[in-house]
Amino acid sequence: MPKNSSTTLKRIGALLHGAGMVSEEKRHRTLEVAATYADDELGPYAAAQALESFGVAVSVHADDIDSIHEGYPRLLADAAEVAGGKVTITDVRIGEGEGGFEVGRSDVLEFERNGKLVSIPAEHFAEDYYDHEAACRAIAETAHEDDPRSWCVVGFAREPGLGYDSIMVLATPEQREALHRHLGLTFP
């Protein structure tokens, strides 16, 4: 895929299939659902978001969610599914810290990973917003130790003053290089 080619869902699907990230069947199913806009040009953020459409990434929503108590379990279930379900994540919960949200409440995001407790410090400023750093650290726990892929935050060109979801992709170093070379995505 030459660098001067426009970035579309079709091109991303071809790249992901060529890099061994999605099957031909998954590529076709995703493009069928997106048939009316599969040839539309995508900006850097939309290209990063498209990875989730193909089932190789998850997004940590930047805007408000219903509740962190419901959001984290759903987020980790989605990540575990992308990772192939080789790791069992259960009993996801928030251990609430002292004080209020106005200065950032120091909580603990806890869950069982294959029966072992994982605790991740989380700072919450509202009941309905993720701590992105804690969420990304938790997502990383869904990859199996034997998997050559690892979870990485996807970097892309950003406009100042706008809020963006944190997008995590599960990929090998070679696959990340292909995403960088062909889509301009980075992995800070």
Side-chain angles (χ1 to χ4, degrees):
M1 201 179 309
K3 282 193 178 213
N4 62 357
S5 295
S6 63
T7 301
T8 65
L9 276 178
K10 280 187 180 175
R11 290 190 184 274
I12 293 171
L15 170 64
L16 295 176
H17 177 65
M21 295 178 74
V22 297
S23 67
E24 186 67 25
E25 179 184 345
K26 177 63 177 173
R27 174 182 165 214
H28 282 296
R29 272 192 319 234
T30 302
L31 292 175
E32 282 176 17
V33 170
T36 59
Y37 54 91
D39 288 315
D40 292 354
E41 183 149 359
L42 302 175
Y45 180 49
Q49 288 177 309
L51 300 176
E52 188 172 19
S53 300
F54 285 98
V56 298
V58 294
S59 295
V60 181
H61 197 53
D63 289 328
D64 63 332
I65 57 174
D66 291 335
S67 164
I68 55 176
H69 296 282
E70 298 166 4
Y72 283 110
R74 278 194 306 267
L75 182 64
L76 293 181
D78 290 347
E81 184 179 332
V82 169
K86 295 177 183 176
V87 171
T88 302
I89 303 293
T90 58
D91 200 20
V92 181
R93 61 198 176 276
I94 301 293
E96 295 182 5
E98 298 293 320
F101 292 119
E102 57 279 347
V103 293
R105 187 177 72 194
S106 294
D107 294 337
V108 178
L109 171 59
E110 295 182 322
F111 52 92
E112 302 282 329
R113 180 188 188 274
N114 290 340
K116 294 184 180 171
L117 179 65
V118 175
S119 296
I120 298 173
E123 186 174 29
H124 293 112
F125 290 91
E127 178 74 21
D128 54 356
Y129 282 86
Y130 288 118
D131 174 330
H132 280 242
E133 183 177 335
C136 291
R137 286 182 59 200
I139 289 166
E141 293 288 335
T142 65
H144 193 272
E145 297 81 11
D146 294 338
D147 195 330
R149 303 169 300 167
S150 60
W151 286 102
C152 299
V153 174
V154 178
F156 45 86
R158 297 172 184 255
E159 293 183 40
L162 296 180
Y164 295 94
D165 292 354
S166 294
I167 299 169
M168 299 270 299
V169 66
L170 185 63
T172 66
E174 296 80 16
Q175 291 166 338
R176 288 191 301 271
E177 176 55 34
L179 293 171
H180 173 69
R181 187 172 54 254
H182 297 291
L183 300 178
L185 300 176
T186 59
F187 305 95

